[in-house]
Amino acid sequence: MNYSIGEFSKKCGLSIDTLRYYEKLEIIRSNRDENNRRYYTDDDFKWASFVIRIKKTGMSIKNIQTYSRLRREGTGTVPDRLQLLFDQLKSLHVQQHEIDDNIEFVENKIQYYTGLNAPLENDDKSKEV
Amino acid sequence: MNYSIGEFSKKCGLSIDTLRYYEKLEIIRSNRDENNRRYYTDDDFKWASFVIRIKKTGMSIKNIQTYSRLRREGTGTVPDRLQLLFDQLKSLHVQQHEIDDNIEFVENKIQYYTGLNAPLENDDKSKEV
DNA sequence: TGTTGACATGGAGTACACTCCAGCATTTAT
DNA sequence: ATAAATGCTGGAGTGTACTCCATGTCAACA
């Protein structure tokens, strides 16, 4: 099954402009028909789905670009790709702890404002934050 | 204790440019001496510390701007400020779940590549992502 | 007295990740 | 046959949150 850029855009959820942008960055490449129009295959869809999913994890476009290049270079680059994934995983674990901290902070602030706890900063209401 | 912008920058960790930028946005205001030079007080430092901390939770500059305005308007705006905090808390909980999902996804991908599990997508190694 | 050095302002530039547009070609529906 | 829709390219514009720069003022020190 082949898809025009419009069809593929609807299928994968990326805008037409984003697809062209990713192609310029060599992240999601397309094929061309006899009129120079892009078309995409089901394999392209699988790859696009992965790109979208890894992007959702917060991987930067630059790293996704690197990952895409490595993938094009073949199976010999699997260790390099794994490194990118490990880096991403590390970053996610860091974020996870930061989020926990942030939740604690905002909850404390809310408790301060709702008066369930003693004030956290000072007693001068005119200077409260 | 009063601080020049350079001293305050070192004390709070925001660059001089960022302090001036935040002042333009009316987030962290300064006082001026007889030569029109900014100076900051210890109360300003408390407020700046809060701004920096809430920013770390991912609150947008726009919402921090709103929060700052509400604070200037007095204690009557506490419910509005609480609303901003509750919104932020909600956003953090959403992020927390997304991060968990993302960690699961990346871990699975790593397991796929390290061959500890059956392939997750297809068996054609030439098409792997 | 002269030269640092910190500070002032307004405005331009940066990075990221798109998003939009002008101008043109081709395709599809009536 | 023609109008609307879809596609093409290169390049400009957007939003967020700063960051940098040119130019100028002012005070302190050698």
Side-chain angles (χ1 to χ4, degrees):
Chain A
M1 186 62 181
N2 287 350
Y3 310 92
S4 72
I5 193 165
E7 290 162 352
F8 197 70
S9 168
K10 269 172 200 149
K11 189 171 163 69
C12 76
L14 295 173
S15 76
I16 289 176
D17 276 317
T18 300
L19 283 168
R20 290 199 271 241
Y21 172 63
Y22 281 4
E23 179 166 327
K24 196 154 55 189
L25 303 183
E26 307 201 275
I27 289 172
I28 302 172
R29 290 171 147 184
S30 67
N31 313 281
R32 299 299 179 113
D33 68 12
E34 62 286 349
N35 288 307
N36 194 39
R37 294 190 157 194
R38 291 173 180 83
Y39 68 89
Y40 296 86
T41 67
D42 286 309
D43 279 338
D44 295 328
F45 178 71
K46 279 184 204 165
W47 171 241
S49 303
F50 173 76
V51 167
I52 291 162
R53 187 65 188 81
I54 199 78
K55 174 136 213 321
K56 233 195 91 187
T57 74
M59 187 179 279
S60 71
I61 286 288
K62 225 165 202 122
N63 277 359
I64 295 175
Q65 241 178 327
T66 302
Y67 195 103
S68 306
R69 180 178 50 73
L70 292 170
R71 173 174 176 266
R72 281 196 306 278
E73 290 173 7
T75 49
T77 63
V78 164
D80 294 331
R81 288 184 249 171
L82 268 170
Q83 193 53 60
L84 284 171
L85 295 174
F86 277 121
D87 290 350
Q88 192 58 27
L89 187 58
K90 182 73 178 59
S91 157
L92 287 167
H93 281 303
V94 170
Q95 282 174 54
Q96 199 177 37
H97 294 308
E98 284 172 355
I99 297 258
D100 289 345
D101 267 16
N102 290 336
I103 285 174
E104 205 186 314
F105 172 73
V106 176
E107 278 175 348
N108 280 341
K109 192 76 200 174
I110 286 172
Q111 291 213 326
Y112 164 61
Y113 266 147
T114 50
L116 298 177
N117 274 6
L120 295 176
E121 288 158 14
N122 60 67
D123 293 307
D124 181 0
K125 294 293 181 188
S126 72
K127 292 293 182 192
E128 76 189 341
V129 292
Chain B
M1 184 65 181
N2 287 351
Y3 308 93
S4 71
I5 193 164
E7 290 162 353
F8 197 69
S9 167
K10 269 171 201 152
K11 189 171 163 71
C12 77
L14 295 174
S15 77
I16 290 177
D17 276 317
T18 300
L19 283 168
R20 291 200 270 242
Y21 172 62
Y22 282 3
E23 179 167 327
K24 197 154 55 186
L25 302 183
E26 307 202 275
I27 288 174
I28 301 172
R29 291 171 147 186
S30 67
N31 312 280
R32 299 298 178 114
D33 69 12
E34 61 286 349
N35 288 307
N36 194 39
R37 294 187 160 199
R38 291 174 180 84
Y39 68 88
Y40 297 86
T41 67
D42 285 312
D43 278 338
D44 295 328
F45 177 70
K46 278 185 204 162
W47 171 240
S49 302
F50 173 76
V51 168
I52 290 162
R53 186 64 188 83
I54 198 77
K55 174 138 213 319
K56 233 195 91 187
T57 73
M59 186 178 280
S60 72
I61 286 289
K62 221 162 205 129
N63 277 358
I64 295 175
Q65 241 179 326
T66 302
Y67 195 103
S68 306
R69 181 179 49 74
L70 292 170
R71 172 173 176 267
R72 281 196 305 278
E73 290 172 8
T75 49
T77 63
V78 164
D80 293 332
R81 287 183 250 172
L82 268 171
Q83 191 53 60
L84 284 171
L85 295 175
F86 276 121
D87 290 350
Q88 192 58 26
L89 186 57
K90 181 74 177 59
S91 157
L92 287 167
H93 281 304
V94 170
Q95 282 175 53
Q96 198 177 39
H97 293 307
E98 284 171 355
I99 298 260
D100 289 344
D101 266 16
N102 291 336
I103 285 174
E104 206 187 313
F105 173 73
V106 176
E107 278 176 349
N108 280 341
K109 192 74 198 174
I110 286 171
Q111 291 213 324
Y112 164 62
Y113 266 146
T114 51
L116 298 176
N117 274 6
L120 295 176
E121 288 159 13
N122 60 67
D123 293 307
D124 182 0
K125 295 292 181 188
S126 71
K127 292 294 182 192
E128 77 191 341
V129 292

